[in-house]
Amino acid sequence: MTQRQRIAIAPSQLQQSQILLTPQQLHYLGRVLRLRDGDRFIAMDGLGKWWLAQLTGEQAQILETLSVETELPVTITLMVALPKGNGFDEVVRCCTELGVTCIVPVISDRTLLNPSLQKLERWRRIAAEAAEQSERAFVPTILEPVAFNTALLSTASPQKYICEGRGNYPHFSNCLPNKEQITNDQGLIIATGPEGGWTEKEIENAIAANFQPVSLGRRILRAVTAPIVALSLVTAACEV
Ligand code: SAM
């Protein structure tokens, strides 16, 4: 696919084969990207659709639907215990680039942060920007923060893993199916802990909810690094 400028649009902006552009989008296309009438760009709805569009005044004409093949063959839900400060921004950005489907910010026994509504909006904005820059077809869903024990109970997938740096657990990469075996039954769920780690009780509860404890290697990773490493291992298993 030719490299073109891309913008995210809301599905409600589509009217048959026209895109009704917002003043902000017009400013971005005209002033920032310096596109003129007749120039082409890519519009993406974050729900799997991309179109080649042509700027015509305050609207854009859809020329064709584009096929995008940047998504992983399996849906991945990450349950990430909220790290300190702005660490979660980095988790959202990097994991979106790596192909995550859904991120659940979880409040665990040792989580120090209780995030505001503005934080959630910020994470959703970061996910949209990262999806756009990494040419994803979908913008990952960022759910509202939830208590870890509640999150454990709302998981249907048979493939569930909890990352734990201590203990003699199998390496995550040895638990993953390879490219030929991978199926998207109900996807894959991965949980990673906060700076202080999971409590014993949390690990017990996760095992009772059919989570398999796994290792990400011999070194203790930061709470921000662990989900990125876990996701990288999944992408390697699916794509290499
Ligand atoms: N304070 C904890 C300790 O000393 O064991 C370390 C917690 S670590 C900074 C944060 C989280 O990252 C952990 O709860 C775990 O989910 C994940 N993690 C870090 N290193 C890991 C490893 N080598 N294997 C599996 N998970 C790891």
Side-chain angles (χ1 to χ4, degrees), residues 104-138:
V104 190
V106 297
I107 319 265
S108 67
D109 290 347
R110 294 185 180 141
T111 301
L112 302 170
L113 192 79
N114 205 352
S116 61
L117 194 62
Q118 285 91 325
K119 282 264 184 194
L120 182 61
E121 285 162 9
R122 179 180 160 78
W123 297 330
R124 287 180 174 155
R125 243 187 351 262
I126 291 174
E129 284 164 12
E132 199 176 317
Q133 99 79 38
S134 56
E135 306 195 357
R136 297 269 315 262
F138 290 89

Side-chain angles (χ1 to χ4, degrees), residues 2 13 16 30 43 69 72 128 131 135 155 159-160 171 179 199 201 207 209 223 228 240:
T2 339
Q13 289 180 257
Q16 286 151 359
E69 284 164 11
L72 292 171
E135 306 195 357
T155 56
Q159 302 180 81
K160 300 187 275 199
H171 197 285
K179 194 159 88 175
T199 59
K201 186 73 189 147
I207 293 172
I228 299 169
V240 178

